Amino acid sequence: MNDEDLRIAPRTRAADLLAWSDGQGRPPVAEEPLRAVLALLELGGGRMHDGWPELTSTAVEHLLYERLHLYVQPAPEEDPLAYGAAVLLLVDHQRAARRLNAKRQERLHAEAEWQGEVAAGLLRRADLVTWPRLHALLMHAHGVDVADGGAVRDWLAALVELGEEGRSAAYEALAEAGWLDEQDERGWGPARVLSVGMATDGARRLLEHGLMRRSYRNLEELTALGRPMPEELTGDFEELEEAAAQAALDLLGEWTVPGLARLLVEEFPELAPEPGAEEIDAYLGR
C-alpha cells in the first residue's frame, strides 16, 4: 500500500493514466477532468483494484448521470465532453490491463459515449446547479481571474452588496446570455434557491461520506498488512468527520474555482444558503 493512499483525499493515478495514453499514441485527454473522474469513481463506493476503480455500467451511469453535475464546473475554454472522454480512456486502460474482456469494453464504450453527452447537457441546466458551480459560472461569465484568490474574494463581496434581488437577476442573466439552459419558466424564485441549497448540502455530504469510506477501506487493508494506524486516523470519530469535511471543501474548489467552496461556507454563507429542516418542511407543506 502507498502511504499516500492513507490520507483522507484521493491521490488519483491520473499521471500514470496520461503517461500510458501518451505511450499508446492516443489523442490527449484533459488532466483536470480526468482527475475529477477518477476521484469521483473512487469515492462512489465501488471496488478498487491496484488503485484503479472497477468499471461497471452502474458505476459509469452513477458518475456521468447522477453525480458529475453536482460537483464540476468547466471553465469556458474547457470541453464538457472531456469527462466522458476520461471514462473512455479508463475503459481502454482497464481492457489493456485485462480487467475487462472485449465484450465489456465495447459495452462500456457505448455507454460512456452517450452518457458523456448526457452529462455535458446536464452541466448546462440551470435547475441542476449547486452553489459552488453557480458562483464559478458567474465569475467565468464576468471575466473574473479565478486563479487570483483576492479577485475571487472581492467578487463575492461585491455580490453580497447586490442583495437578494440583485443576485437573482444575475442568476437569471446567465440563462439569458446563453451560459445556462433554463428548464423552468418560474426561474430564480424562492423554490429554486431552496432546491439549490438542498442539492449543495446533499452533494457535500455525499462527498464527505465517500472520503470517510475511503479512509476505512484503506485502514482495513493497513490492518491486514500488520502496519500501525496512520496519525490521521488515530483521533476520535469527530476529528475524522472534520477532516473529511475539510477535504470535501478542497475537492469542491478543485472542481470549480480554487478556494471557492470554502469561502462560501466560511466567509459568505449568505451567498450559498442551505435550508434547515424547518425551511424544508415549510416548503413541502408539512
Side-chain angles (χ1 to χ4, degrees), residues 5-264:
D5 291 335
L6 299 177
R7 301 182 183 181
I8 294 291
R11 267 51 175 187
T12 68
R13 299 185 63 181
D16 294 341
L17 191 50
L18 290 172
W20 177 83
S21 177
D22 185 61
Q24 297 293 311
R26 297 172 58 97
V29 173
E31 182 174 357
E32 292 307 313
L34 178 60
R35 290 189 182 278
V37 161
L38 289 173
L40 286 169
L41 281 170
E42 180 174 354
L43 298 176
R47 297 177 61 186
M48 300 289 292
H49 297 284
D50 298 327
W52 302 104
E54 180 180 291
L55 288 173
T56 64
S57 297
T58 299
V60 170
E61 180 179 9
H62 186 57
L63 167 72
L64 294 175
Y65 185 70
E66 299 178 16
R67 300 201 74 178
L68 191 70
H69 67 268
L70 295 172
Y71 298 109
V72 306
Q73 182 53 58
E77 68 276 11
E78 295 174 342
D79 184 0
L81 292 175
Y83 299 96
V87 176
L88 289 172
L89 174 59
L90 182 58
V91 169
D92 290 347
H93 176 268
Q94 292 299 279
R95 168 59 178 161
R98 299 185 179 181
R99 294 285 187 190
L100 302 172
N101 60 34
K103 185 175 181 179
R104 286 184 64 199
Q105 179 192 26
E106 182 179 3
R107 183 176 72 249
L108 287 172
H109 247 277
E111 292 170 352
E113 285 179 355
W114 76 265
Q115 291 277 9
E117 293 178 0
V118 170
L122 296 178
L123 287 171
R124 287 193 50 85
R125 283 182 51 169
D127 59 332
L128 294 181
V129 295
T130 55
W131 290 124
R133 285 194 56 221
L134 180 64
H135 289 96
L137 192 56
L138 269 177
M139 283 186 251
H140 292 316
H142 288 84
V144 178
D145 182 0
V146 296
D148 183 340
V152 170
R153 181 178 275 103
D154 290 345
W155 167 259
L156 294 175
L159 201 60
V160 170
E161 296 301 317
L162 289 180
E164 290 186 13
E165 291 188 6
R167 291 194 292 274
S168 293
Y171 304 152
E172 296 274 7
L174 288 172
E176 295 168 0
W179 288 85
L180 286 173
D181 298 330
E182 182 57 83
Q183 306 288 318
D184 186 346
E185 61 183 15
R186 293 173 297 179
W188 278 91
R192 172 68 61 77
V193 172
L194 187 71
S195 68
V196 173
M198 288 191 292
T200 302
D201 176 70
R204 191 175 64 250
R205 291 180 185 276
L206 279 172
L207 197 56
E208 292 172 6
H209 293 162
L211 289 163
M212 293 180 70
R213 284 196 306 269
R214 178 181 187 275
S215 295
Y216 286 126
R217 181 172 63 240
N218 288 339
L219 184 57
E220 289 177 358
E221 183 176 346
L222 187 71
T223 302
L225 293 173
R227 295 174 57 184
M229 183 181 296
E231 182 178 350
E232 191 171 12
L233 300 179
T234 58
D236 58 25
F237 184 75
E238 287 74 19
E239 290 178 345
L240 178 58
E241 281 189 314
E242 179 59 24
Q246 295 304 313
L249 289 177
D250 291 338
L251 284 173
L252 290 170
E254 288 181 22
W255 299 334
T256 53
V257 166
L260 173 60
R262 186 176 299 279
L263 285 171
L264 290 174

